[in-house]
Amino acid sequence: MCFNLKVKLINEDALLPFQANPGDAGFDLFAIEEKLIRPGEAELISTGIKLELPQGTEAQVRPRSGLALKHSVTILNSPGTIDEGYRGEIKVILINHGKEDFKIEKQMRIAQMVIAPIAKVNITQVEELSNSERGFGGFGSSGVK
Ligand SMILES: O=c1ccn([C@H]2C[C@H](O)[C@@H](COP(=O)(O)OP(=O)(O)OP(=O)(O)O)O2)c(=O)[nH]1
Ligand SMILES: [Mg+2]
């Protein structure tokens, strides 16, 4: 599967999404602003990019594990959903779960974006659903080990 993604830079500090290694699933997204995120607080961070996603795809904005592990900084609405038809600026809602202030710097890599195909879905209302092996079991019903 290969998609062509159109990216518009709308700020002089904006950078194209960055694939650290060939074949990586995620393209890193960069901040275009400095911002302090206080412990327990969330901030909306601008990336300075707009996308034209290929038809039938979405972009998922996911946390970077390094920021999460080292600084307890992650994405509040993870994964953020970028709709195919969205033409606004891509923004990232970061939350600081740590005990110290976290400073976002310009051109810091703050998140990663994965492009994924989406199924076309038609919804039908029904009175009955078919039986299945799982049935109503959920929320730990299959045990821990
Ligand atoms: O992390 C995110 C999540 C969303 N968006 C943009 C793209 C997306 O297509 C749009 C709407 O996002 P979403 O559907 O998650 O938000 P909503 O609260 O349902 O708003 P809306 O009523 O505009 O759909 O906002 C971002 O830039 N970053
Ligand atoms: Mg929505």
Side-chain angles (χ1 to χ4, degrees), residues 26-42:
F27 289 79
D28 291 336
L29 299 178
F30 298 84
I32 54 159
E33 56 185 343
E34 292 182 355
K35 212 169 244 185
L36 197 69
I37 314 180
R38 301 211 180 274
E41 303 210 334

Side-chain angles (χ1 to χ4, degrees), residues 42-139:
E43 296 285 351
L44 188 63
I45 314 292
S46 297
T47 65
I49 65 169
K50 292 181 175 181
L51 306 180
E52 183 175 331
L53 285 165
Q55 213 179 0
T57 68
E58 61 157 342
Q60 298 172 7
V61 180
R62 301 184 186 174
R64 294 189 68 207
S65 59
L67 284 182
L69 181 65
K70 292 178 197 151
H71 305 285
S72 301
V73 169
T74 186
I75 295 180
L76 180 57
N77 60 323
S78 181
T81 303
I82 311 299
D83 299 290
E84 179 194 309
Y86 179 70
R87 294 290 181 272
E89 183 180 3
I90 306 303
K91 298 193 178 189
V92 178
I93 309 171
L94 287 181
I95 183 161
N96 180 357
H97 287 304
K99 293 186 171 66
E100 290 168 15
D101 291 351
F102 185 74
K103 174 92 181 296
I104 302 293
E105 307 279 2
K106 266 186 198 180
Q107 300 191 329
M108 179 185 267
R109 286 181 282 151
I110 53 171
Q112 58 185 322
M113 174 178 78
V114 173
I115 309 298
I118 44 170
K120 191 165 181 288
V121 176
N122 300 310
I123 292 187
T124 311
Q125 183 178 349
V126 296
E127 295 304 322
E128 300 296 336
L129 301 175
S130 67
N131 293 323
S132 74
E133 253 180 63
R134 172 173 279 272
F136 299 110
F139 312 101

